[in-house]
Protein backbone atom coordinates (compact mmCIF):
# COMPACT_ATOMS: atom_id res chain seq x y z
CA UNK A 1 0.00 0.00 0.00
CA UNK A 2 0.96 3.66 -0.21
CA UNK A 3 2.53 4.51 3.13
CA UNK A 4 3.45 8.14 2.37
CA UNK A 5 2.24 10.78 -0.07
CA UNK A 6 4.03 14.13 -0.43
CA UNK A 7 2.70 17.14 -2.36
CA UNK A 8 4.92 20.09 -3.27
CA UNK A 9 3.39 23.20 -4.88
CA UNK A 10 0.61 21.00 -6.21
CA UNK A 11 -2.77 22.71 -6.63
CA UNK A 12 -3.68 24.28 -3.25
CA UNK A 13 -0.78 22.68 -1.36
CA UNK A 14 2.52 24.45 -0.82
CA UNK A 15 3.79 21.41 1.05
CA UNK A 16 1.81 18.56 2.56
CA UNK A 17 2.43 15.00 3.63
CA UNK A 18 -0.01 12.18 4.24
CA UNK A 19 0.99 8.89 5.89
CA UNK A 20 -1.94 6.46 5.61
CA UNK A 21 -1.99 3.80 8.32
CA UNK A 22 -5.20 2.06 7.24
CA UNK A 23 -6.29 0.50 3.97
CA UNK A 24 -9.13 3.05 3.79
CA UNK A 25 -8.50 6.78 4.22
CA UNK A 26 -11.35 9.29 4.54
CA UNK A 27 -10.56 12.92 3.66
CA UNK A 28 -13.21 15.35 4.87
CA UNK A 29 -13.50 19.12 4.88
CA UNK A 30 -15.39 22.09 3.47
CA UNK A 31 -15.94 22.56 -0.24
CA UNK A 32 -12.77 23.95 -1.80
CA UNK A 33 -10.53 22.73 1.02
CA UNK A 34 -8.44 20.59 -1.34
CA UNK A 35 -9.82 17.07 -0.84
CA UNK A 36 -10.15 16.32 -4.55
CA UNK A 37 -6.64 17.68 -5.12
CA UNK A 38 -5.27 14.77 -3.06
CA UNK A 39 -7.21 12.26 -5.17
CA UNK A 40 -6.00 13.96 -8.33
CA UNK A 41 -2.41 13.65 -7.12
CA UNK A 42 -2.92 9.92 -6.54
CA UNK A 43 -4.54 9.53 -9.95
CA UNK A 44 -1.33 10.78 -11.56
CA UNK A 45 0.41 7.50 -10.71
CA UNK A 46 -0.80 6.22 -14.06
CA UNK A 47 -0.28 7.51 -17.62
CA UNK A 48 -2.60 10.27 -18.72
CA UNK A 49 -3.99 13.45 -17.22
CA UNK A 50 -5.55 12.07 -14.07
CA UNK A 51 -9.10 12.24 -12.80
CA UNK A 52 -9.66 15.90 -13.74
CA UNK A 53 -8.14 15.60 -17.21
CA UNK A 54 -6.03 18.69 -16.49
CA UNK A 55 -2.81 19.71 -18.20
CA UNK A 56 0.46 19.78 -16.27
CA UNK A 57 0.63 23.62 -16.11
CA UNK A 58 -2.84 23.73 -14.55
CA UNK A 59 -1.69 21.61 -11.60
CA UNK A 60 1.04 23.96 -10.36
CA UNK A 61 0.21 26.12 -7.34
CA UNK A 62 -0.24 29.82 -7.97
CA UNK A 63 0.05 32.74 -5.61
CA UNK A 64 -2.04 35.84 -6.31
CA UNK A 65 -0.49 37.69 -9.23
CA UNK A 66 1.44 34.69 -10.59
CA UNK A 67 0.67 34.16 -14.25
CA UNK A 68 1.62 30.50 -14.48
CA UNK A 69 1.65 27.54 -12.17
CA UNK A 70 4.82 26.73 -10.26
CA UNK A 71 6.97 23.68 -10.75
CA UNK A 72 5.29 20.91 -8.76
CA UNK A 73 5.87 17.38 -7.57
CA UNK A 74 3.87 14.46 -6.23
CA UNK A 75 5.75 11.60 -4.58
CA UNK A 76 4.66 8.37 -2.97
CA UNK A 77 6.29 5.58 -1.01
CA UNK A 78 4.75 2.24 -1.91
CA UNK A 79 5.37 -0.79 0.30
CA UNK A 80 5.41 -4.03 -1.70
CA UNK A 81 6.15 -7.34 0.02
CA UNK A 82 8.08 -5.52 2.74
CA UNK A 83 10.18 -3.48 0.32
CA UNK A 84 9.77 0.21 -0.45
CA UNK A 85 9.31 1.58 -3.97
CA UNK A 86 9.43 5.34 -4.51
CA UNK A 87 7.24 6.82 -7.23
CA UNK A 88 7.31 10.45 -8.30
CA UNK A 89 5.90 12.72 -10.98
CA UNK A 90 5.82 16.44 -11.67
CA UNK A 91 7.23 19.28 -13.76
CA UNK A 92 10.62 20.86 -13.21
CA UNK A 93 9.90 24.45 -14.27
CA UNK A 94 7.09 26.95 -13.82
CA UNK A 95 4.43 26.42 -16.45
CA UNK A 96 6.11 23.21 -17.59
CA UNK A 97 3.92 21.36 -20.07
CA UNK A 98 5.41 17.90 -19.77
CA UNK A 99 5.46 15.94 -16.55
CA UNK A 100 8.23 13.50 -15.84
CA UNK A 101 8.05 10.21 -13.98
CA UNK A 102 10.64 8.73 -11.66
CA UNK A 103 10.71 5.29 -10.08
CA UNK A 104 13.24 4.81 -7.31
CA UNK A 105 14.98 7.98 -8.46
CA UNK A 106 15.38 6.91 -12.08
CA UNK A 107 13.51 8.61 -14.93
CA UNK A 108 11.01 6.20 -16.44
CA UNK A 109 8.32 6.24 -19.15
CA UNK A 110 4.83 6.89 -17.72
CA UNK A 111 3.70 3.40 -18.71
CA UNK A 112 6.05 1.92 -16.10
CA UNK A 113 3.78 3.30 -13.36
CA UNK A 114 1.34 0.54 -14.28
CA UNK A 115 3.85 -1.98 -12.96
CA UNK A 116 3.05 -0.66 -9.48
CA UNK A 117 -0.35 1.00 -9.32
CA UNK A 118 -3.56 1.03 -11.35
CA UNK A 119 -5.83 3.76 -9.98
CA UNK A 120 -9.57 3.43 -10.58
CA UNK A 121 -11.79 6.39 -9.72
CA UNK A 122 -15.34 7.65 -9.55
CA UNK A 123 -16.11 11.37 -9.38
CA UNK A 124 -19.26 13.51 -9.15
CA UNK A 125 -18.87 14.32 -12.86
CA UNK A 126 -19.77 10.68 -13.54
CA UNK A 127 -23.05 10.86 -11.60
CA UNK A 128 -24.88 11.40 -14.90
CA UNK A 129 -22.43 9.46 -17.02
CA UNK A 130 -25.09 7.69 -19.06
CA UNK A 131 -26.98 10.86 -19.99
CA UNK A 132 -23.94 13.05 -20.66
CA UNK A 133 -21.93 13.38 -23.86
CA UNK A 134 -21.04 10.19 -25.71
CA UNK A 135 -17.37 11.16 -25.92
CA UNK A 136 -17.08 11.36 -22.13
CA UNK A 137 -18.66 7.91 -21.75
CA UNK A 138 -16.24 6.40 -24.25
CA UNK A 139 -13.31 8.07 -22.48
CA UNK A 140 -14.52 6.64 -19.15
CA UNK A 141 -14.85 3.17 -20.64
CA UNK A 142 -11.47 3.35 -22.36
CA UNK A 143 -9.93 4.13 -18.96
CA UNK A 144 -11.47 0.90 -17.61
CA UNK A 145 -10.10 -1.03 -20.60
CA UNK A 146 -6.70 0.58 -20.20
CA UNK A 147 -6.41 -0.36 -16.50
CA UNK A 148 -6.35 -4.05 -17.41
CA UNK A 149 -4.79 -3.75 -20.87
CA UNK A 150 -2.10 -1.02 -20.95
CA UNK A 151 -1.57 -1.50 -24.70
CA UNK A 152 -5.08 -0.16 -25.28
CA UNK A 153 -3.99 3.40 -24.49
CA UNK A 154 -1.27 3.21 -27.15
CA UNK A 155 -3.73 1.89 -29.74
CA UNK A 156 -6.24 4.67 -28.98
CA UNK A 157 -3.51 7.34 -29.08
CA UNK A 158 -2.20 6.05 -32.42
CA UNK A 159 -5.73 5.99 -33.82
CA UNK A 160 -6.49 9.55 -32.69
CA UNK A 161 -3.19 10.87 -34.10
CA UNK A 162 -3.80 9.32 -37.51
CA UNK A 163 -7.42 10.52 -37.44
CA UNK A 164 -6.27 14.13 -36.90
CA UNK A 165 -3.77 13.86 -39.78
CA UNK A 166 -6.41 12.41 -42.11
CA UNK A 167 -8.92 15.14 -41.28
CA UNK A 168 -6.32 17.86 -41.85
CA UNK A 169 -5.64 16.45 -45.34
CA UNK A 170 -9.35 16.24 -46.11
CA UNK A 171 -10.06 19.78 -44.94
CA UNK A 172 -7.09 21.09 -46.94
CA UNK A 173 -8.53 19.32 -49.98
CA UNK A 174 -11.94 20.89 -49.44
CA UNK A 175 -10.24 24.32 -49.38
CA UNK A 176 -8.65 23.75 -52.80
CA UNK A 177 -5.38 22.05 -51.81
CA UNK A 178 -5.58 18.55 -53.27
CA UNK A 179 -5.18 15.75 -50.74
CA UNK A 180 -2.70 13.03 -51.68
CA UNK A 181 -4.80 9.85 -52.12
CA UNK A 182 -1.81 7.63 -51.41
CA UNK A 183 -1.19 9.37 -48.09
CA UNK A 184 -4.90 9.05 -47.25
CA UNK A 185 -4.70 5.33 -48.03
CA UNK A 186 -1.70 4.99 -45.73
CA UNK A 187 -3.40 6.86 -42.90
CA UNK A 188 -6.59 4.83 -43.26
CA UNK A 189 -4.53 1.65 -43.17
CA UNK A 190 -3.01 2.79 -39.87
CA UNK A 191 -6.46 3.73 -38.61
CA UNK A 192 -7.73 0.28 -39.51
CA UNK A 193 -4.97 -1.46 -37.58
CA UNK A 194 -5.13 0.65 -34.43
CA UNK A 195 -8.92 0.91 -34.57
CA UNK A 196 -9.29 -2.86 -34.82
CA UNK A 197 -7.00 -3.39 -31.84
CA UNK A 198 -8.99 -0.85 -29.81
CA UNK A 199 -12.32 -2.41 -30.79
CA UNK A 200 -11.17 -5.91 -29.84
CA UNK A 201 -9.93 -4.66 -26.46
CA UNK A 202 -13.21 -2.83 -25.81
CA UNK A 203 -15.32 -5.85 -26.71
CA UNK A 204 -13.25 -8.08 -24.45
CA UNK A 205 -13.46 -5.63 -21.57
CA UNK A 206 -17.24 -5.28 -21.95
CA UNK A 207 -17.57 -9.06 -21.79
CA UNK A 208 -15.34 -9.34 -18.73
CA UNK A 209 -17.05 -6.46 -16.94
CA UNK A 210 -20.49 -7.92 -17.65
CA UNK A 211 -19.33 -11.23 -16.19
CA UNK A 212 -18.07 -9.40 -13.09
CA UNK A 213 -21.34 -7.45 -12.74
CA UNK A 214 -23.39 -10.63 -13.03
CA UNK A 215 -21.20 -12.39 -10.47
CA UNK A 216 -21.63 -9.54 -8.00
CA UNK A 217 -25.41 -9.74 -7.97
CA UNK A 218 -27.52 -6.86 -6.68
CA UNK A 219 -25.88 -6.08 -3.32
CA UNK A 220 -27.44 -3.52 -3.08
CA UNK A 221 -26.29 -1.60 -6.15
CA UNK A 222 -28.37 -2.11 -9.31
CA UNK A 223 -27.00 -4.26 -12.08
CA UNK A 224 -26.55 -3.03 -15.62
CA UNK A 225 -26.56 -4.84 -18.93
CA UNK A 226 -23.68 -3.23 -20.81
CA UNK A 227 -23.53 -2.71 -24.55
CA UNK A 228 -21.19 -1.14 -27.09
CA UNK A 229 -22.43 0.60 -30.20
CA UNK A 230 -20.13 0.80 -33.19
CA UNK A 231 -19.55 -1.37 -36.23
CA UNK A 232 -16.02 -2.39 -35.25
CA UNK A 233 -17.00 -3.35 -31.67
CA UNK A 234 -20.01 -5.30 -32.96
CA UNK A 235 -17.78 -7.25 -35.32
CA UNK A 236 -15.33 -7.92 -32.47
CA UNK A 237 -18.13 -9.17 -30.20
CA UNK A 238 -19.32 -11.49 -32.97
CA UNK A 239 -15.89 -13.09 -33.29
CA UNK A 240 -14.36 -11.25 -36.27
CA UNK A 241 -10.58 -11.15 -36.29
CA UNK A 242 -8.36 -8.07 -36.39
CA UNK A 243 -7.77 -8.28 -40.15
CA UNK A 244 -11.49 -8.31 -40.98
CA UNK A 245 -12.23 -5.45 -38.58
CA UNK A 246 -9.32 -3.38 -39.93
CA UNK A 247 -10.54 -3.90 -43.50
CA UNK A 248 -14.04 -2.76 -42.52
CA UNK A 249 -12.67 0.39 -40.89
CA UNK A 250 -10.49 1.18 -43.92
CA UNK A 251 -13.38 0.76 -46.32
CA UNK A 252 -15.73 2.85 -44.19
CA UNK A 253 -13.22 5.67 -43.90
CA UNK A 254 -12.56 5.62 -47.63
CA UNK A 255 -16.29 5.90 -48.38
CA UNK A 256 -16.70 8.80 -45.93
CA UNK A 257 -13.91 11.02 -47.26
CA UNK A 258 -16.18 13.49 -49.05
CA UNK A 259 -18.65 13.65 -46.18
CA UNK A 260 -15.91 14.16 -43.57
CA UNK A 261 -14.27 16.89 -45.68
CA UNK A 262 -17.57 18.75 -45.99
CA UNK A 263 -18.39 18.36 -42.30
CA UNK A 264 -14.91 19.23 -41.07
CA UNK A 265 -14.98 16.27 -38.67
CA UNK A 266 -14.68 12.50 -38.86
CA UNK A 267 -18.13 10.92 -38.86
CA UNK A 268 -17.12 7.26 -39.13
CA UNK A 269 -14.89 5.02 -37.06
CA UNK A 270 -14.35 3.51 -33.60
CA UNK A 271 -14.04 7.00 -32.06
CA UNK A 272 -17.81 7.27 -32.66
CA UNK A 273 -18.60 4.20 -30.56
CA UNK A 274 -20.55 4.44 -27.33
CA UNK A 275 -21.07 2.60 -24.05
CA UNK A 276 -24.70 1.83 -23.23
CA UNK A 277 -26.27 0.43 -20.08
CA UNK A 278 -29.71 -0.97 -19.29
CA UNK A 279 -30.94 -0.81 -15.69
CA UNK A 280 -31.73 -4.51 -15.39
CA UNK A 281 -34.30 -4.38 -12.60
CA UNK A 282 -36.28 -1.52 -14.17
CA UNK A 283 -35.63 -2.65 -17.76
CA UNK A 284 -34.94 0.86 -18.96
CA UNK A 285 -31.89 2.73 -20.27
CA UNK A 286 -29.60 4.04 -17.56
CA UNK A 287 -29.75 7.47 -19.24
CA UNK A 288 -33.38 7.77 -18.07
CA UNK A 289 -32.45 7.24 -14.42
CA UNK A 290 -31.96 9.86 -11.74
CA UNK A 291 -28.53 11.07 -10.66
CA UNK A 292 -28.74 8.68 -7.70
CA UNK A 293 -29.58 5.71 -9.91
CA UNK A 294 -26.85 6.53 -12.39
CA UNK A 295 -24.34 6.99 -9.57
CA UNK A 296 -25.29 3.59 -8.14
CA UNK A 297 -24.87 1.97 -11.58
CA UNK A 298 -21.46 3.62 -12.04
CA UNK A 299 -20.34 2.52 -8.57
CA UNK A 300 -21.39 -1.05 -9.34
CA UNK A 301 -19.39 -0.84 -12.58
CA UNK A 302 -16.34 0.50 -10.71
CA UNK A 303 -16.62 -2.27 -8.09
CA UNK A 304 -16.96 -4.84 -10.88
CA UNK A 305 -13.81 -3.39 -12.44
CA UNK A 306 -11.95 -3.84 -9.16
CA UNK A 307 -13.21 -7.41 -8.85
CA UNK A 308 -12.00 -7.97 -12.41
CA UNK A 309 -8.58 -6.47 -11.74
CA UNK A 310 -7.98 -8.31 -8.48
CA UNK A 311 -9.07 -11.55 -10.12
CA UNK A 312 -6.81 -11.25 -13.15
CA UNK A 313 -3.93 -8.87 -12.49
CA UNK A 314 -2.74 -10.11 -9.14
CA UNK A 315 -2.23 -13.74 -10.15
CA UNK A 316 1.54 -14.23 -10.60
CA UNK A 317 2.50 -15.24 -14.12
CA UNK A 318 6.16 -15.46 -15.07
CA UNK A 319 5.27 -14.93 -18.74
CA UNK A 320 3.71 -11.52 -18.06
CA UNK A 321 5.12 -8.25 -16.70
CA UNK A 322 4.31 -7.31 -13.14
CA UNK A 323 0.77 -5.98 -12.81
CA UNK A 324 0.15 -3.01 -10.55
CA UNK A 325 -2.12 -3.11 -7.54
CA UNK A 326 -5.54 -1.49 -8.05
CA UNK A 327 -6.06 1.72 -6.06
CA UNK A 328 -9.61 3.02 -5.49
CA UNK A 329 -10.32 6.78 -5.47
CA UNK A 330 -13.89 7.86 -4.63
CA UNK A 331 -14.62 11.59 -4.74
CA UNK A 332 -17.76 12.63 -2.81
CA UNK A 333 -18.82 8.97 -2.73
CA UNK A 334 -21.68 9.38 -0.21
CA UNK A 335 -23.48 12.04 -2.27
CA UNK A 336 -26.86 10.88 -3.64
CA UNK A 337 -26.61 7.55 -1.79
CA UNK A 338 -29.01 6.60 0.98
CA UNK A 339 -27.69 5.32 4.33
CA UNK A 340 -28.10 1.64 3.38
CA UNK A 341 -26.14 2.02 0.15
CA UNK A 342 -23.45 4.10 1.85
CA UNK A 343 -22.92 1.40 4.46
CA UNK A 344 -22.93 -1.30 1.78
CA UNK A 345 -20.37 0.61 -0.28
CA UNK A 346 -18.05 0.91 2.71
CA UNK A 347 -18.42 -2.81 3.47
CA UNK A 348 -17.62 -3.77 -0.11
CA UNK A 349 -14.58 -1.50 -0.33
CA UNK A 350 -13.26 -2.99 2.89
CA UNK A 351 -13.96 -6.54 1.67
CA UNK A 352 -11.93 -5.91 -1.50
CA UNK A 353 -8.82 -5.67 0.66
CA UNK A 354 -7.41 -2.86 -1.48
CA UNK A 355 -6.25 0.61 -0.55
CA UNK A 356 -8.92 3.25 -1.00
CA UNK A 357 -9.19 7.00 -0.54
CA UNK A 358 -12.61 8.67 -0.18
CA UNK A 359 -13.68 12.29 0.17
CA UNK A 360 -16.74 14.01 1.61
CA UNK A 361 -17.75 17.29 3.20
CA UNK A 362 -19.20 15.81 6.40
CA UNK A 363 -17.37 13.17 8.47
CA UNK A 364 -20.76 11.95 9.75
CA UNK A 365 -21.44 10.50 6.30
CA UNK A 366 -18.60 8.06 6.96
CA UNK A 367 -19.71 7.13 10.49
CA UNK A 368 -19.87 3.37 9.68
CA UNK A 369 -16.12 3.50 8.97
CA UNK A 370 -15.11 4.81 12.40
CA UNK A 371 -12.54 2.43 13.79
CA UNK A 372 -12.09 0.84 10.37
CA UNK A 373 -10.55 3.74 8.43
CA UNK A 374 -8.14 6.60 8.95
CA UNK A 375 -9.79 10.03 9.06
CA UNK A 376 -7.99 13.13 7.76
CA UNK A 377 -9.33 16.66 8.09
CA UNK A 378 -8.43 18.87 5.15
CA UNK A 379 -8.17 22.51 6.11
CA UNK A 380 -6.07 25.51 5.13
CA UNK A 381 -3.76 23.59 2.83
CA UNK A 382 -2.99 21.04 5.55
CA UNK A 383 -3.81 17.34 5.99
CA UNK A 384 -4.60 16.81 9.68
CA UNK A 385 -4.89 13.22 11.01
CA UNK A 386 -7.69 12.60 13.50
CA UNK A 387 -7.44 10.12 16.35
Amino acid sequence: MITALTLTDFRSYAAARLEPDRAITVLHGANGAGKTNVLEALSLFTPGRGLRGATAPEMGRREPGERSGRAWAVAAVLTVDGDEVRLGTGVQSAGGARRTVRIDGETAPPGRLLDWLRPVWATPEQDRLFSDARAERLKFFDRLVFAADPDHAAHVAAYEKALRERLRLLVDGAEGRAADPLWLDALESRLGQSGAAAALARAGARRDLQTAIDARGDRPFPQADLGLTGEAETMAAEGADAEAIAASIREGLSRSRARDAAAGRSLFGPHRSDLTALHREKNRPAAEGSSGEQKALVLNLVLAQLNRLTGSLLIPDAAKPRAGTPLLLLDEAPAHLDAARRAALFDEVEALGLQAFMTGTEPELFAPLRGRAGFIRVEGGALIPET
Side-chain angles (χ1 to χ4, degrees):
M1 62 181 284
I2 292 173
T3 53
L5 176 70
T6 304
L7 310 179
T8 305
D9 281 326
F10 180 80
R11 293 290 191 182
S12 56
Y13 295 95
R17 184 174 175 86
L18 176 64
E19 297 182 348
D21 58 0
R22 300 287 186 96
I24 299 175
T25 298
V26 173
L27 299 141
H28 66 87
N31 289 329
K35 305 181 299 295
T36 304
N37 294 343
V38 177
L39 298 194
E40 182 181 28
L42 290 162
S43 75
L44 295 178
F45 293 117
T46 187
R49 291 186 170 187
L51 61 79
R52 279 194 175 111
T55 63
E58 293 173 322
M59 299 179 196
R61 188 173 68 90
R62 295 185 188 185
E63 290 285 358
E66 288 185 329
R67 304 179 68 177
S68 62
R70 298 184 177 192
W72 57 269
V74 175
V77 178
L78 184 67
T79 301
V80 182
D81 298 328
D83 295 325
E84 287 188 348
V85 178
R86 298 180 180 275
L87 308 178
T89 186
V91 297
Q92 297 178 336
S93 60
R98 182 177 181 137
R99 69 182 177 104
T100 58
V101 169
R102 286 191 172 86
I103 300 176
D104 282 336
E106 299 292 331
T107 302
R112 284 287 312 282
L113 290 168
L114 296 169
D115 293 346
W116 304 103
L117 288 173
R118 303 209 179 191
V120 176
W121 56 79
T123 68
E125 288 72 26
Q126 296 162 359
D127 287 358
R128 296 199 63 82
L129 177 73
F130 296 107
S131 55
D132 281 345
R134 174 201 57 77
E136 290 305 310
R137 250 186 324 279
L138 187 61
K139 186 185 299 182
F140 168 82
F141 184 68
D142 276 338
R143 171 63 63 176
L144 298 183
V145 181
F146 167 60
D149 180 3
D151 290 340
H152 180 64
H155 295 314
V156 171
Y159 177 90
E160 291 177 346
K161 182 176 184 294
L163 194 70
R164 289 192 298 270
E165 293 179 14
R166 172 183 176 272
L167 185 61
R168 185 166 59 249
L169 285 177
L170 291 174
V171 171
D172 285 349
E175 294 175 351
R177 296 182 291 275
D180 183 348
L182 293 178
W183 184 229
L184 283 172
D185 287 344
L187 286 172
E188 288 166 0
S189 178
R190 284 160 50 187
L191 285 162
Q193 292 174 354
S194 55
L200 285 164
R202 287 172 182 163
R206 188 218 64 83
R207 181 188 62 244
D208 293 345
L209 282 167
Q210 189 66 63
T211 298
I213 288 172
D214 294 345
R216 282 177 44 75
D218 188 358
R219 46 177 202 174
F221 298 99
Q223 290 177 293
D225 292 320
L226 303 178
L228 281 173
T229 66
E231 182 178 316
E233 286 79 6
T234 299
M235 290 180 66
E238 292 174 349
D241 62 17
E243 185 175 348
I245 299 171
S248 176
I249 294 172
R250 286 197 307 271
E251 292 165 7
L253 288 167
S254 180
R255 289 194 304 269
S256 68
R257 286 178 184 178
R259 185 178 61 161
D260 291 352
R265 56 196 179 102
S266 302
L267 299 172
F268 173 85
H271 63 287
R272 305 284 300 174
S273 301
D274 193 8
L275 171 69
T276 64
L278 184 74
H279 191 300
R280 185 177 298 173
E281 181 183 359
K282 296 189 175 182
N283 193 31
R284 72 180 188 189
E288 297 177 3
S290 66
S291 293
E293 287 178 326
Q294 291 193 46
K295 184 184 188 98
L297 286 166
V298 169
L299 284 172
N300 201 12
L301 182 54
V302 167
L303 291 169
Q305 168 80 341
L306 290 168
N307 290 141
R308 170 178 174 242
L309 293 181
T310 54
S312 62
L313 292 185
L314 303 184
I315 299 173
D317 185 340
K320 297 179 180 179
R322 187 189 188 284
T325 301
L327 175 69
L328 177 59
L329 310 175
L330 295 178
D331 194 18
E332 299 293 343
H336 299 131
L337 294 181
D338 57 36
R341 279 190 174 153
R342 282 201 303 271
L345 172 64
F346 301 152
D347 288 343
E348 291 217 32
V349 171
E350 186 176 39
L352 282 167
L354 302 173
Q355 191 167 20
F357 293 81
M358 305 183 192
T359 70
T361 54
E362 302 296 333
E364 292 77 15
L365 294 172
F366 299 92
L369 285 173
R370 287 290 180 184
R372 301 155 61 190
F375 279 68
I376 305 293
R377 188 171 82 256
V378 183
E379 183 179 335
L383 304 173
I384 307 166
E386 295 182 341
T387 57

